[in-house]
Amino acid sequence: MATDNDLMQKIISLCKRRGFVFQSSEIYGGLRSAYDYGPLGVELKRNLMDAWWLDMVRSRENVVGLDASIIMHPRVWEASGHLAGFSDPLVDCKVCKERFRADKAPAAAAGEAVVLTFADKGKAKVALGIVAKQFEVELERRGAQLVGAVAGDRGYVCPVCGSPWLSDERQFNLMFRSSLGPISPMSAIAQALEAGEFAGLGGAELRAKLEAVTKDGAVYLRPETAQAMFVQFLNVQQSMSMKVPFGIAQMGKSFRNEITVEHFIFRSCEFEQMEMEFFCEPGTDDEWMEYWCEQRMAWWKRYANDPSKFRLRPHEPDELAHYAKGCFDVEYAYPWGFGELEGIANRTDYDLKKHALHSGAKIEYFDPQQQKKFVPYVIEPAAGATRGVLVYLLDAYHEETVDGAKGPETRVVMRFHPTLAPIKVAVMPLVKKDGMTEKARAVVEAFLRRGINASYDEQHAIGRRYRRHDEIGTPWCLTIDGQTMEDGSITVRDRDTMEQRRISIDAAVDEIQELLARA
RNA sequence: GCGGGAAUAACUCAGUUGGUAGAGUGUCAGCUUCCCAAGCUGAAAGUCGCGGGUUCAAAUCCCGUUUCCCGCUCCA
């Protein structure tokens, strides 16, 4: 079995080799944290998202779908708090180069003596030089520490080395910004420059002025799909006569300008979400929270080989978002440890009330039975679709030792649930003669006509073809052999057990469809 | 963002002191083959991540840069 250390490497390598996931713009050197889903990857991702849609929308009377635009009115993000909350003031330490959040830095009153601490004497010596040269302050070095510094009027120091020499606070907005309309913000800046509007400005003042000049037409790519479901709450509820409790679901791309990206497709700036906002009467929210936690856990486990790797973890009070009353994370045991796959949050009436306040729209629900108005509470299961793809790639990967023609060898099998498998069935002639190829192609046609993704394969020896389909997770291989030509029977080989049985060639499509339905 | 490691064929990797770019696997074509990466013959495939520098000569040495991995940090 692959160890945790090299499992990711093997997955990444297999993904590229077999057409699941490629690095974006690879021939140009690659783009940071952007990935393209290849022919098999797009099938896997689509199958996963289709399964979610089927479970969350199509099989529930009280949940309907939505597909909203990615660019929304900028005031949506003011109301949601993303424009303010997303922008954490960040500061760079000019001594150790650390970048940190101003609001999380250790406090130090102006004039207070501070000690700079480094990992070792060498680093302390370098820092001593920087301070002497750039700030013309002579400090005294004691081992890995520098003494004699005094805190400025910023009220805090660098959390790593303790230095008071810091850059200005800068707003880092985690939303991707663009502009709507043909006028570029650069033109606005150029105009203002020519008009001398920036004369004499510097630091924070300059940045504020730039912000003001470029504000017209500024729009943002959505950092989550959720807001559209709140903004369109009234339209959806009224057009479909939905009665609370009900849900609005949406799948699609979201964008976050993450400071750090990591672990292949786990955290990237462009990602895909599967979110549902479930509107319920205040007071019933705790029950619904429990219901959706149970539903969502069961859904993830349903397609997994190893359900024990999923867990539901309640958020600690101090990690709750400002809007949430309670939150559970569906976590998966990734090779680097447990990490988030889905967040199920009780967002209360925070979002609807905010949008009512900012837009002036009357966002309320009238309950005809109880003859009363209220603002619904919201339970939000928000899953990462692209993270789901990674989870099932990890879950599917198996290596096993089998007897081959040249002794024991390693068989790599992607044990995808048949619902998720990119190719459901491969049809192959045992050898390329006696009319077997024609017969096999006819069987493939029959599958495709039924909407089942089938693949024809005649390349190389039969054993190799089986192994190739093991590696891309094809659940069943159908083989046309000499006996087929005599009695119309065909062999079905199972990916996981490698066992074969004979069925009638005419019943093959029905048989596989039945297996898929039962899976 | 910080620290460490890496980048050579589609994949996994060799490449000696600086001296004509290599292997295995895979891919493709053909032969053979009635069931688990069999065999034989042949072929294609590399801006050595990118850009500079040193040198008669750079995959190799130096500088910069991009991307990935690991560990921190961050993740309203």
Side-chain angles (χ1 to χ4, degrees):
Chain A
M1 216 32 237
T3 66
D4 284 357
N5 286 336
D6 53 27
L7 178 57
M8 281 300 284
Q9 291 296 344
K10 290 183 175 182
I11 296 279
I12 292 167
S13 167
L14 186 145
C15 278
K16 184 181 178 189
R17 192 159 31 92
R18 293 302 188 189
F20 283 92
V21 182
F22 309 123
Q23 165 104 63
S24 165
S25 320
E26 196 186 79
I27 62 169
Y28 286 101
L31 183 66
R32 184 165 159 266
S33 170
Y35 293 93
D36 296 346
Y37 291 81
L40 296 184
V42 65
E43 294 292 336
L44 174 62
K45 178 154 72 73
R46 191 162 290 181
N47 289 341
L48 178 68
M49 294 176 80
D50 283 350
W52 184 86
W53 193 258
L54 187 65
D55 182 75
M56 295 296 278
V57 183
R58 292 272 179 84
S59 48
R60 297 173 194 271
E61 276 192 61
N62 61 350
V63 179
V64 292
L66 183 71
D67 187 8
S69 64
I70 286 172
I71 296 173
M72 300 175 71
H73 197 289
R75 291 191 57 204
V76 168
W77 310 115
E78 271 175 39
S80 70
H82 285 91
L83 261 179
F86 245 119
S87 46
D88 308 314
L90 295 185
V91 177
D92 292 318
C93 173
K94 290 183 173 174
V95 178
C96 72
K97 310 299 179 200
E98 179 72 13
R99 174 173 294 169
F100 57 92
R101 277 177 60 170
D103 58 336
K104 291 201 172 173
E112 188 180 320
V114 291
V115 176
L116 282 65
T117 306
F118 299 90
D120 52 59
K121 279 195 271 186
K123 293 214 168 71
K125 275 185 186 169
V126 172
L128 190 69
I130 290 173
V131 172
K133 195 174 165 195
Q134 293 187 16
F135 313 111
E136 295 173 356
V137 175
E138 295 297 333
L139 299 179
E140 183 190 342
R141 186 176 68 80
R142 292 181 192 161
Q145 294 195 321
L146 302 180
V147 297
V150 172
D153 50 15
R154 291 285 278 281
Y156 57 84
V157 293
C158 170
V160 173
C161 72
S163 123
W165 290 282
L166 308 167
S167 72
D168 287 338
E169 290 184 8
R170 291 183 293 175
Q171 300 293 112
F172 267 71
N173 198 305
L174 295 190
M175 284 195 291
F176 281 94
R177 181 178 170 151
S178 187
S179 52
L180 198 60
I183 297 170
S184 142
M186 295 304 160
S187 316
I189 293 170
Q191 272 185 3
L193 261 177
E194 285 173 357
E197 291 183 39
F198 294 115
L201 295 181
E205 277 182 335
L206 177 62
R207 272 183 278 275
K209 180 68 186 171
L210 274 168
E211 190 67 34
V213 166
T214 56
K215 198 163 182 268
D216 284 347
V219 290
Y220 303 89
L221 303 188
R222 67 183 179 202
E224 61 177 28
T225 60
Q227 293 306 318
M229 273 97 82
F230 302 128
V231 171
Q232 295 289 19
F233 170 79
L234 288 176
N235 277 336
V236 172
Q237 190 266 319
Q238 285 165 10
S239 63
M240 302 300 289
S241 308
M242 300 306 288
K243 293 185 174 48
V244 170
F246 76 96
I248 308 177
Q250 176 168 222
M251 313 186 292
K253 294 227 166 162
S254 292
F255 303 82
R256 294 182 195 178
N257 219 337
E258 300 279 0
I259 297 170
T260 318
V261 292
E262 58 188 348
H263 302 312
F264 194 37
I265 56 174
F266 178 76
R267 170 173 285 115
S268 49
C269 294
E270 177 177 340
F271 59 104
E272 222 148 346
Q273 291 188 296
M274 309 184 290
E275 294 193 299
M276 197 268 283
E277 309 301 324
F278 193 78
F279 302 93
C280 62
E281 188 179 343
T284 65
D285 49 314
D286 289 339
E287 292 164 44
W288 283 114
M289 184 73 174
E290 204 173 314
Y291 171 80
W292 284 112
C293 283
E294 182 270 318
Q295 288 281 301
R296 295 303 306 146
M297 278 301 280
W299 185 83
W300 285 113
K301 288 182 177 182
R302 185 175 155 193
Y303 300 103
N305 290 294
D306 186 357
S308 74
K309 289 202 163 182
F310 295 81
R311 77 176 184 192
L312 192 65
R313 186 182 67 85
H315 271 206
E316 300 297 326
D318 63 352
E319 57 176 329
L320 278 179
H322 58 280
Y323 51 71
K325 174 179 165 186
C327 188
F328 288 84
D329 274 353
V330 175
E331 295 190 327
Y332 183 76
Y334 297 97
W336 60 89
F338 273 101
E340 190 191 8
L341 175 59
E342 171 164 356
I344 304 166
N346 182 344
R347 295 181 76 131
T348 70
D349 53 9
Y350 177 88
D351 300 274
L352 289 179
K353 279 188 167 164
K354 280 281 181 193
H355 284 298
L357 187 69
H358 280 75
S359 67
K362 205 172 192 179
I363 307 180
E364 278 180 328
Y365 174 76
F366 177 73
D367 188 317
Q369 249 90 54
Q370 302 185 60
Q371 289 287 310
K372 70 170 189 183
K373 281 183 188 169
F374 60 85
V375 178
Y377 265 40
V378 174
I379 305 299
E380 175 193 77
T386 28
R387 281 185 186 179
V389 170
L390 177 59
V391 161
Y392 287 119
L393 281 167
L394 289 164
D395 175 75
Y397 191 89
H398 282 80
E399 285 178 9
E400 57 187 39
T401 304
V402 293
D403 290 328
K406 292 184 281 190
E409 51 193 36
T410 302
R411 184 174 85 116
V412 175
V413 197
M414 293 303 280
R415 288 194 174 152
F416 293 123
H417 188 279
T419 303
L420 302 182
I423 296 172
K424 309 302 183 194
V425 58
V427 185
M428 41 188 81
L430 186 59
V431 291
K432 283 187 277 185
K433 60 183 184 188
D434 302 334
M436 290 181 194
T437 56
E438 291 78 2
K439 203 145 215 143
R441 286 196 189 275
V443 174
V444 170
E445 269 303 308
F447 274 105
L448 295 181
R449 274 201 304 276
R450 193 74 72 87
I452 297 171
N453 197 17
S455 162
Y456 173 79
D457 198 348
E458 61 169 29
Q459 209 58 251
H460 298 300
I462 190 73
R464 260 202 244 191
R465 284 179 265 168
Y466 286 151
R467 293 294 167 78
R468 191 159 54 214
H469 280 283
D470 288 341
E471 211 183 20
I472 62 174
T474 306
W476 301 287
C477 291
L478 305 185
T479 305
I480 313 286
D481 58 13
Q483 199 178 330
T484 312
M485 310 311 284
E486 287 164 23
D487 66 4
S489 69
I490 190 170
T491 65
V492 184
R493 180 224 186 229
D494 183 272
R495 176 193 68 197
D496 299 334
T497 63
M498 294 167 62
E499 280 167 11
Q500 283 178 289
R501 63 197 172 88
R502 297 197 81 89
I503 60 169
S504 155
I505 193 166
D506 299 319
V509 177
D510 287 337
E511 184 103 17
I512 296 297
Q513 194 159 45
E514 174 65 22
L515 287 173
L516 275 169
R518 271 204 317 237

